[in-house]
């Protein structure tokens, strides 16, 4: 496939002005199937997470810190998938599509910011479970409305300055040579690979940010669950232990899926990177996990199921 697109001469190189998102054009027989599948998943994500937001907002029995963070998480998932999926669906209808530097930078920025925000909100949810299980008597005092709001603001805003700097560094670099981006959206690793000359500084910056965003939340989550498991095992009642574990299961499942797939993609070495494999791995953590979240939280949570049944009954009565 030849490299095409708008560019201009810069010394001995041809500097690029835009990228071409190859997406899944290298598997044309799958494009129709992928379009239908991804469209169904996207609609399910929007509807499922919107229902979670509505239920946790309307039902008075769910006005607790746990569901406050779940509501934030569901809103985040809607925003997160909407950064990449609408563009992907459009591109699946054609062979491949040009994307300007500005559009690419905006997409990458919001994808990275929202992805990091997801890590932080999952960490806040782990802290909430830690306080609820390890300090149940002080839970209403510690997890008050003010602290919950402060944690939410920190989660939503922390990544903004980090990635404002990173995006500025990446897109102030010179891109030259082939302008084909072998991905279905402007993710950081494939874009950095197209930087002219020595991209060592940018790659190290990406690794540092990825390591910090992955390691600090992971450390805090693991630390929280070490304390949680230790406390649960000391409970005298088997029923109490089972109930305590069940309140953590959904969160642990989402954490494992999200962090696991993200780490595989972002921490594989550049030399061993397989863009084809990475594209399908990226589909997993950008689309499939957000689809699983409302299923995991609703099916494993009796309170949410009861609230959903009440809402459906009200809708039927109307």
């Amino acid at each position: 496939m030849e490299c095409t697109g708008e560019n201009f001469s810069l010394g001995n190189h041809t500097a690029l002005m835009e990228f071409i998102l190859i997406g899944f054009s290298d598997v044309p027989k799958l494009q129709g199937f992928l379009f239908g599948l991804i469209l169904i998943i996207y609609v399910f994500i929007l509807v499922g997470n919107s229902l979670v937001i509505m239920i946790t907002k309307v039902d008075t029995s769910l006005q607790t810190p746990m569901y406050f963070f779940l509501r934030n998480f569901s809103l985040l998932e809607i925003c997160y998938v909407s950064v990449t999926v609408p563009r992907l669906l459009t591109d699946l209808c054609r062979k491949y599509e040009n994307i300007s530097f500005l559009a690419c930078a905006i997409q990458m920025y919001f994808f990275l910011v929202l992805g990091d925000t997801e890590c932080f909100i999952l960490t806040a949810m782990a802290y909430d479970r830690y306080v609820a299980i390890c300090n149940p008597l002080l839970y209403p005092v510690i997890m008050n409305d003010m602290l919950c709001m402060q944690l939410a603001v920190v989660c939503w805003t922390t990544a903004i300055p980090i990635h404002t700097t990173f995006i500025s560094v990446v897109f102030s670099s010179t891109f030259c040579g082939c302008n084909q981006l072998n991905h279905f959206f402007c993710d950081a690793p494939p874009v950095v690979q197209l930087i002219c000359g020595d991209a060592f500084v940018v790659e190290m910056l990406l690794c540092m940010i990825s390591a910090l965003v992955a390691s600090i939340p992971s450390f805090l989550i693991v630390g929280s669950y070490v304390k949680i498991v230790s406390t649960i095992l000391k409970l005298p009642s088997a029923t109490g232990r089972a109930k305590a574990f069940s309140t953590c299961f959904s969160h642990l499942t989402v954490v494992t899926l999200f962090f696991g797939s993200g780490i595989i993609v972002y921490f594989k070495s550049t030399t061993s990177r397989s863009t084809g494999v990475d594209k399908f791995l990226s589909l997993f953590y950008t689309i499939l996990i957000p689809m699983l979240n409302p299923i995991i939280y609703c099916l494993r949570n009796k309170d949410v199921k009861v609230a959903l049944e009440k809402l459906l009954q009200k809708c039927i009565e109307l």
Side-chain angles (χ1 to χ4, degrees):
M1 194 177 293
E2 294 181 0
C3 294
T4 59
E6 189 178 347
N7 53 62
F8 66 90
S9 179
L10 181 66
N12 295 327
H13 299 287
T14 299
L16 306 179
M17 297 291 289
E18 61 183 14
F19 298 120
I20 293 176
L21 288 171
I22 301 301
F24 297 96
S25 61
D26 51 348
V27 282
K29 293 182 180 179
L30 280 178
Q31 285 191 256
F33 170 76
L34 286 173
F35 177 85
L37 179 63
I38 292 170
L39 179 60
I40 292 170
I41 291 174
Y42 183 51
V43 171
F44 181 85
I45 291 169
L46 296 181
V47 173
N49 284 288
S50 296
L51 271 175
V52 171
I53 294 170
M54 187 186 306
I55 291 167
T56 56
K57 187 69 176 176
V58 172
D59 197 291
T60 53
S61 65
L62 302 182
Q63 303 301 307
T64 64
M66 175 180 173
Y67 296 107
F68 169 79
F69 289 115
L70 179 56
R71 185 161 62 248
N72 274 265
F73 190 68
S74 295
L75 174 61
L76 173 64
E77 292 290 58
I78 292 173
C79 298
Y80 183 64
V81 296
S82 296
V83 171
T84 57
V85 174
R87 169 90 198 197
L88 172 59
L89 290 172
T90 302
D91 289 348
L92 282 171
C93 296
R94 16 192 176 189
K95 189 176 180 181
Y96 47 78
E97 183 66 15
N98 294 3
I99 183 168
S100 68
F101 269 23
L102 178 60
C104 187
I106 291 171
Q107 186 184 55
M108 186 193 295
Y109 174 75
F110 281 105
F111 177 78
L112 293 175
V113 167
L114 293 171
D116 288 0
T117 302
E118 185 157 345
C119 295
F120 302 145
I121 288 184
L122 287 170
T123 306
M125 293 170 80
Y127 178 69
D128 171 70
R129 292 299 82 209
Y130 161 74
V131 177
I133 293 173
C134 298
N135 296 285
L137 298 179
L138 295 176
Y139 180 70
V141 178
I142 297 174
M143 297 303 295
N144 55 65
D145 292 343
M146 179 63 72
L147 179 62
C148 290
M149 188 60 66
Q150 288 173 342
L151 286 173
V153 170
V154 169
C155 290
W156 281 95
T157 60
T158 299
I160 292 175
I162 295 172
H163 289 298
T164 299
T165 302
F166 177 70
I167 293 296
S168 299
V169 171
V170 171
F171 285 90
S172 63
S173 304
T174 302
F175 294 87
C176 59
C178 184
N179 66 338
Q180 293 180 352
L181 195 62
N182 195 6
H183 215 300
F184 61 89
F185 71 100
C186 285
D187 200 3
V191 171
V192 169
Q193 286 183 341
L194 297 184
I195 293 176
C196 280
D198 190 3
F200 178 77
V201 174
V202 182
E203 289 177 352
M204 286 300 100
L205 182 60
L206 175 61
C207 286
M208 286 175 59
I209 292 172
S210 301
L212 286 172
V213 170
S215 63
I216 294 176
S218 296
F219 176 77
L220 293 174
I221 290 170
V222 170
S224 296
Y225 273 103
V226 167
K227 293 284 187 179
I228 287 170
V229 171
S230 175
T231 301
I232 290 175
L233 292 177
K234 293 176 183 177
L235 294 175
S237 167
T239 304
R241 289 195 297 270
K243 185 177 180 180
F245 274 122
S246 69
T247 63
C248 300
F249 178 83
S250 301
H251 178 259
L252 268 176
T253 304
V254 173
V255 166
T256 303
L257 291 172
F258 181 78
F259 277 88
S261 57
I263 287 171
I264 290 172
V265 171
Y266 275 80
F267 288 94
K268 281 168 54 179
S269 66
T270 304
T271 54
S272 65
R273 186 175 296 280
S274 170
T275 53
V277 173
D278 283 357
K279 279 191 287 188
F280 282 96
L281 278 173
S282 296
L283 274 179
F284 186 75
Y285 74 84
T286 58
I287 299 175
L288 292 181
I289 293 177
M291 179 195 71
L292 293 173
N293 288 339
I295 298 175
I296 292 169
Y297 278 104
C298 288
L299 292 182
R300 294 289 305 183
N301 193 302
K302 292 181 180 178
D303 294 334
V304 175
K305 284 193 288 186
V306 169
L308 180 58
E309 289 172 2
K310 290 180 182 177
L311 181 63
L312 290 175
Q313 285 176 355
K314 288 181 181 179
C315 291
I316 292 170
E317 290 172 0
L318 292 175

